[in-house]
Amino acid sequence: MPRYLRPEPFAKLEGRLDRLELVLGSIADVASSHADGGFDGFNLSDVFEYLDPELCRSIYETLVEHSRPDARLAYWNMLVPRRRPDSVAERVSSLDERAAELYARDLAFFYGTLVVEQVSRA
Ligand SMILES: C[S@@+](CC[C@H](N)C(=O)[O-])C[C@H]1O[C@@H](n2cnc3c(N)ncnc32)[C@H](O)[C@@H]1O
């Protein structure tokens, strides 16, 4: 069972619901309009592999632009191998070891890869 559905974490999460804000919109628009100093992380599911490479690049650049130093982006690939675009290669590094560790514990067996990337401090 996913951790968030187990009794102990559920009670903790339920008590913190006031910290959540649900926003409807495209990722790039929401990242731009709710940045408020920048994001520390993005859990992106497998959104990129269904989009064409140019749109992926554009969205990814927007997310990096609205990231705080050390922010992480995590996402899965099922069939299409998406990674950070070359345009942000100097600002974003891949945390492949960390991704492999997490993937080994992942309960979503149908994804082919988990990608974890980190925005640099500079
Ligand atoms: C393959 S589904 C993943 C759905 C779900 N997160 C999951 O893991 O089962 C990809 C989702 O990304 C959403 N999506 C695609 N482009 C998006 C964008 N630019 N902003 C926000 N969501 C987007 C689609 O509407 C779709 O729900």
Side-chain angles (χ1 to χ4, degrees):
M1 186 183 290
R3 267 195 300 172
Y4 70 90
L5 290 178
R6 293 175 194 161
E8 311 77 31
F10 184 85
K12 199 171 182 179
L13 291 171
E14 192 177 31
R16 295 177 176 180
L17 283 178
D18 59 331
R19 299 186 189 185
L20 280 180
E21 180 185 359
L22 297 182
V23 181
L24 190 60
S26 78
I27 304 172
D29 288 349
V30 173
S32 305
S33 60
H34 287 69
D36 194 25
F39 288 88
D40 293 311
F42 298 93
N43 181 344
L44 299 164
S45 185
D46 63 338
V47 67
F48 288 125
E49 73 174 320
Y50 292 82
L51 306 176
D52 72 70
E54 187 56 27
L55 185 54
C56 287
R57 183 192 58 72
S58 165
I59 291 172
Y60 201 108
E61 286 174 0
T62 302
L63 301 185
V64 171
E65 188 184 326
H66 296 290
S67 290
R68 288 199 185 113
D70 293 334
R72 289 185 179 183
L73 299 92
Y75 51 95
W76 284 266
N77 293 318
M78 195 180 327
L79 299 172
V80 183
R82 299 286 190 217
R83 306 289 291 199
R84 58 146 168 66
D86 290 344
S87 57
V88 298
E90 287 187 6
R91 285 206 61 199
V92 179
S93 53
S94 297
L95 304 181
D96 290 339
E97 274 185 34
R98 182 66 179 138
E101 278 168 30
L102 293 170
Y103 181 77
R105 293 163 28 202
D106 193 358
L107 300 179
F109 60 90
F110 44 86
Y111 290 120
T113 330
L114 173 65
V115 181
V116 181
E117 293 164 335
Q118 183 164 325
V119 179
S120 69
R121 289 169 175 267

